[in-house]
Amino acid sequence: MTNIRVAIFDDHPIVIDGVLRVLTQIDDMDCAGTGSTAAAAAEYALENRADVLVMDLGMTGDVCRTIMKLQRLTPDVQVLIFTASNELQDARRVLEAGARGYVVKGCSGAELADAIRALFRGEVYISQTVAARMIMASQKAMQNHREAEDLRLNMREQQILKLLLTGMTNREIAARLKISEKTVKHYMSLVMQKLNVRNRLEAVLAAQKLQSSLNQRPRTAGFLQ
């Protein structure tokens, strides 16, 4: 069986040396090349044969753009991000660009080898700590989505709640929307029931909290659009 050809790109020589030491102890992997910039990684992949590129996220150059370029021009080359960052935003960004793996530095040599093998088999590999945080974030987003969907605020209720968030009184809201103050009070009662609050202050606080959570993901139709 042909060994897995691994190329390593990192702007810290000590990291490259460490990965090389790992590879020399593994029978089914060979080091195909090294470099220190995103541009060097792209150039190498286009001119040489490698199965997996191990790339640092923080090295010089646009790593995400490089990954997208490699996806177009060398789709058989798998990109494994090997980084000190455990930020979900960073992981999502490179995975959406086309990277197939995300491993946080500080892992064992065995885990790095497992990740390389997984990518070589066509699988995706994400460090357990990052994967767990992704799952938790996804579950929280789903809960927020369900909460927003459960509200089912109609257009008039949304308008009134938006104006309430600006600090307007019922009379001012009525004047802005050209409806009676009695109608505003009616809709306010409906909104407070849906938010499960007892007064205007609690309604404002509940709306602010929900709006903040929704702003962290794509807008949900039907609430404070």
Side-chain angles (χ1 to χ4, degrees):
M1 181 177 177
T2 304
N3 282 4
I4 304 171
R5 292 176 57 82
V6 183
I8 312 157
F9 294 87
D10 196 296
D11 57 358
H12 291 89
I14 192 170
V15 173
I16 293 179
D17 290 344
V19 177
L20 286 174
R21 283 196 296 271
V22 170
L23 296 183
T24 58
Q25 299 173 18
I26 300 174
D27 294 335
D28 61 344
M29 297 181 193
D30 293 325
C31 177
T34 63
S36 60
T37 65
E43 181 179 356
Y44 179 90
L46 293 172
E47 297 180 356
N48 301 275
R49 188 177 74 82
D51 300 307
V52 178
L53 295 186
V54 177
M55 296 174 58
D56 178 34
L57 181 59
M59 63 184 173
T60 301
D62 192 327
V63 173
C64 283
R65 183 171 295 180
T66 297
I67 295 171
M68 290 187 283
K69 179 179 180 180
L70 294 177
Q71 281 287 295
R72 294 195 311 270
L73 302 178
T74 59
D76 292 336
V77 178
Q78 307 301 323
V79 175
L80 171 64
I81 297 298
F82 187 47
T83 175
S85 173
N86 62 1
E87 294 296 327
L88 294 186
Q89 183 178 356
D90 289 335
R92 290 193 180 107
R93 184 160 52 92
V94 294
L95 292 171
E96 288 172 359
R100 300 286 292 177
Y102 193 92
V103 175
V104 178
K105 291 177 180 177
C107 71
S108 66
E111 181 180 357
L112 180 60
D114 287 343
I116 293 170
R117 292 190 186 101
L119 268 64
F120 183 67
R121 294 192 299 266
E123 301 169 4
V124 173
Y125 189 99
I126 303 174
S127 285
Q128 184 175 358
T129 53
V130 176
R133 292 178 62 198
M134 281 185 169
I135 292 171
M136 292 176 64
S138 177
Q139 290 174 337
K140 182 177 180 180
M142 290 176 63
Q143 180 181 356
N144 290 337
H145 177 76
R146 287 194 296 269
E147 289 174 353
E149 288 297 319
D150 288 343
L151 289 176
R152 295 186 181 89
L153 298 182
N154 62 37
M155 184 176 296
R156 182 63 80 189
E157 291 167 345
Q158 291 181 55
Q159 290 174 334
I160 289 174
L161 193 54
K162 279 184 179 180
L163 296 176
L164 179 67
L165 285 169
T166 67
M168 285 189 177
T169 64
N170 286 351
R171 179 175 298 180
E172 290 169 335
I173 293 173
R176 173 68 65 86
L177 298 179
K178 295 182 173 58
I179 58 178
S180 70
E181 190 173 348
K182 182 177 180 181
T183 300
V184 173
K185 291 180 180 179
H186 168 71
Y187 280 113
M188 275 299 305
S189 296
L190 295 177
V191 168
M192 287 191 289
Q193 288 177 13
K194 292 180 178 182
L195 291 175
N196 193 28
V197 297
R198 296 167 296 180
N199 52 53
R200 290 169 63 91
L201 177 58
E202 289 183 1
V204 170
L205 295 175
Q208 288 176 336
K209 180 179 179 181
L210 185 55
Q211 186 179 46
S212 176
S213 66
L214 293 177
N215 285 340
Q216 297 175 8
R217 60 178 181 78
R219 294 295 182 104
T220 299
F223 184 76
L224 300 185
Q225 295 182 328

